[in-house]
Amino acid sequence: QVRLVESGGGLAQAGGSLRLSCAASGSTLSFNAMNWYRQAPGKQREFVATLTSAGETNYADSVKGRFTISRDNAKNTVYLQMNSLKPEDTAVYVCYAAYNNYRLTSWGQGTQVTVSS
């Protein structure tokens, strides 16, 4: 079982930036995809961004142009650079990995991001 540990969350002002990290216990090169999701209070978990093993990325419309997903294979870490933050970005951000040809998945515990207006 792959273990994922998020960090980098915290409090930011609207218009500010944060960078989230997701450190994996296994090699990120072996993952089919690594995603970020978020869940705001009282809302369902929603997709934020994905990065496939081929290097393809995709984003939710709500974050497109503001967030960037990337990875450092040497550090087995995936990042989510969040710029131009808005109060509606406030949520717990959770890292997800799919591997073994998408037959297995792992979730992190999440990191809180709070954006003040």
Side-chain angles (χ1 to χ4, degrees), residues 3 14 17 22-23 27 29 33-34 41 47 52 56 62 72 77 85-87 91 95 103-104 110 116:
R3 184 165 176 255
S17 299
C22 172
S27 170
L29 288 171
M34 293 192 76
F47 166 80
T52 71
E56 297 169 334
S62 59
D72 184 334
T77 299
L85 284 164
K86 303 175 180 180
C95 183
R103 285 193 285 265
L104 297 174
S116 62

Side-chain angles (χ1 to χ4, degrees), residues 6-12 18-21 36-41 82 85 87-95 109-116:
E6 302 95 335
S7 62
L11 179 63
L18 285 173
R19 188 178 78 158
L20 306 183
S21 300
W36 285 97
Y37 291 82
R38 67 187 182 186
Q39 187 165 16
M82 306 187 296
L85 284 164
E88 51 263 44
D89 293 321
T90 295
V92 174
Y93 285 72
V94 183
C95 183
Q109 292 299 307
T111 185
Q112 176 70 47
V113 170
T114 303
V115 183
S116 62

Side-chain angles (χ1 to χ4, degrees), residues 42-85:
K43 295 187 177 181
Q44 289 190 328
R45 180 176 289 179
E46 65 173 357
F47 166 80
V48 175
T50 186
L51 175 60
T52 71
S53 57
E56 297 169 334
T57 59
N58 194 24
Y59 300 89
D61 287 342
S62 59
V63 306
K64 205 169 289 185
R66 300 187 298 122
F67 290 11
T68 303
I69 188 171
S70 62
R71 68 184 175 208
D72 184 334
N73 292 326
K75 296 182 179 179
N76 295 329
T77 299
V78 169
Y79 302 99
L80 185 68
Q81 178 67 43
M82 306 187 296
N83 298 329
S84 302
L85 284 164

Side-chain angles (χ1 to χ4, degrees), residues 95-112:
C95 183
Y96 160 97
Y99 51 104
N100 198 1
N101 207 23
Y102 291 95
R103 285 193 285 265
L104 297 174
T105 62
S106 290
W107 292 88
Q109 292 299 307
T111 185
Q112 176 70 47

